[in-house]
Amino acid sequence: MKAFNKLSAVLLLSAGAFCHQAFADNAVFTSMDDPATAKKPFEGSASAGYLAQTGNTTSSSLSASTNMTWYQTNTALSLWGNAANNSSNDERSSETYNIGGRSRYNLNSADYLFGQASWLSDRFNGYDSRDVLTAGYGRQILSGPVHSLRAEFGPGVRYDDFHDGGHETKALGYGAVSYQWQLTDTTKFIQGVSVLSSFGEDTTLNSETALQVAINAHFALKLGYNVTWNNNPPESAPDRTDTKTTIQLSYSM
């Protein structure tokens, strides 16, 4: 979200989360928690935010997201979706939509298999749509309760429909690392990094760094910083790096 020099009116609405569990931004990182440690068979979250400015400059930002996960003893299934729109002086400056699904099957207490599929539309970064399908192997290196660390990798395929015309299908390699550190009873540090690479021709790196603080038994505040880097972006989006800073207030039941 871009910073504003003068802010004359701000409306911010955030609602969501049916659990205390932290979820990363699924447009960035999608690794799921271990189903063996799940405390209930279903967990879900939903949030929405709106930011508006009027006066010398008119701008607005709207975002919404949801995440639902079903757990069994050794398996888990997750579905997610999010959308974000920004405009300035009645002109759209960014527009992103993302939906996806993921499954995880535990082979034992440390090793697991996964599969995931996602669809992304981000025309201001050059893609009318980007479809990704990956599968592979993961390992739960640390399982908490203070530190949680897991890594995974596998092959995949990606279909790109470019905003300036044309389309392309590529084989790719996928790798990701997710780390969480429970600093105190109420504060958690989150770091996720994922890489999609078509063997050197096109590499996209995504990162989320976040701090989540529980305000009380029902409310929590999350401050996140997301970075997306592409070494070979489409011609309609020449910048290689995009960053996003978010503040989310969540309500849990």
Side-chain angles (χ1 to χ4, degrees):
M1 188 181 297
K2 296 181 178 179
F4 303 117
N5 292 330
K6 293 183 179 180
L7 188 63
S8 57
V10 176
L11 297 175
L12 177 63
L13 173 65
S14 298
F18 295 98
C19 60
H20 292 287
Q21 181 177 356
F23 291 99
D25 182 347
N26 282 302
V28 173
F29 189 74
T30 57
S31 181
M32 296 157 54
D33 283 342
D34 186 358
T37 63
K39 297 181 180 180
K40 48 188 177 182
F42 172 78
E43 292 179 335
S45 67
S47 64
Y50 179 64
L51 176 66
Q53 174 185 346
T54 60
N56 294 328
T57 299
T58 301
S59 60
S60 64
S61 176
L62 177 66
S63 63
S65 64
T66 184
N67 191 316
M68 298 176 291
T69 304
W70 293 264
Y71 293 104
Q72 295 184 0
T73 303
N74 295 315
T75 61
L77 172 66
S78 182
L79 301 175
W80 70 83
N82 53 65
N85 290 275
N86 298 288
S87 63
S88 179
N89 295 324
D90 298 324
E91 288 191 13
R92 188 68 53 85
S93 56
S94 69
E95 184 177 14
T96 305
Y97 305 97
N98 178 235
I99 59 174
R102 179 182 171 94
S103 62
R104 169 170 167 164
Y105 174 72
N106 281 2
L107 298 171
N108 50 52
S109 59
D111 305 304
Y112 63 90
L113 300 176
F114 72 91
Q116 64 183 27
S118 64
W119 171 84
L120 170 70
S121 176
D122 190 357
R123 62 187 179 91
F124 285 89
N125 278 324
Y127 300 98
D128 281 345
S129 68
R130 167 173 275 194
D131 307 308
V132 178
L133 179 65
T134 61
Y137 162 81
R139 183 169 180 83
Q140 191 80 34
I141 301 169
L142 300 174
S143 56
V146 178
H147 300 281
S148 174
L149 175 65
R150 55 188 179 272
E152 59 189 35
F153 63 91
V157 63
R158 188 182 74 207
Y159 174 79
D160 294 332
D161 185 9
F162 299 107
H163 183 63
D164 57 357
H167 54 82
E168 191 173 25
T169 301
K170 296 180 179 180
L172 54 84
Y174 163 81
V177 176
S178 175
Y179 172 69
Q180 294 187 12
W181 179 11
Q182 192 71 45
L183 297 169
T184 68
D185 290 341
T186 59
T187 306
K188 178 183 292 185
F189 172 79
I190 303 166
Q191 178 66 60
V193 178
S194 68
V195 178
L196 291 170
S197 178
S198 55
F199 308 102
E201 180 182 351
D202 183 349
T203 299
T204 301
L205 184 146
N206 298 304
S207 171
E208 181 191 50
T209 304
L211 191 67
Q212 180 173 287
V213 180
I215 300 173
N216 54 36
H218 296 286
F219 287 93
L221 187 67
K222 180 181 177 182
L223 174 63
Y225 180 71
N226 300 326
V227 179
T228 299
W229 177 81
N230 189 335
N231 74 321
N232 188 23
E235 293 182 1
S236 59
D239 290 338
R240 294 187 177 187
T241 304
D242 282 319
T243 63
K244 179 175 65 174
T245 301
T246 59
I247 299 177
Q248 184 181 56
L249 179 66
S250 65
Y251 175 74
S252 62
M253 298 176 61

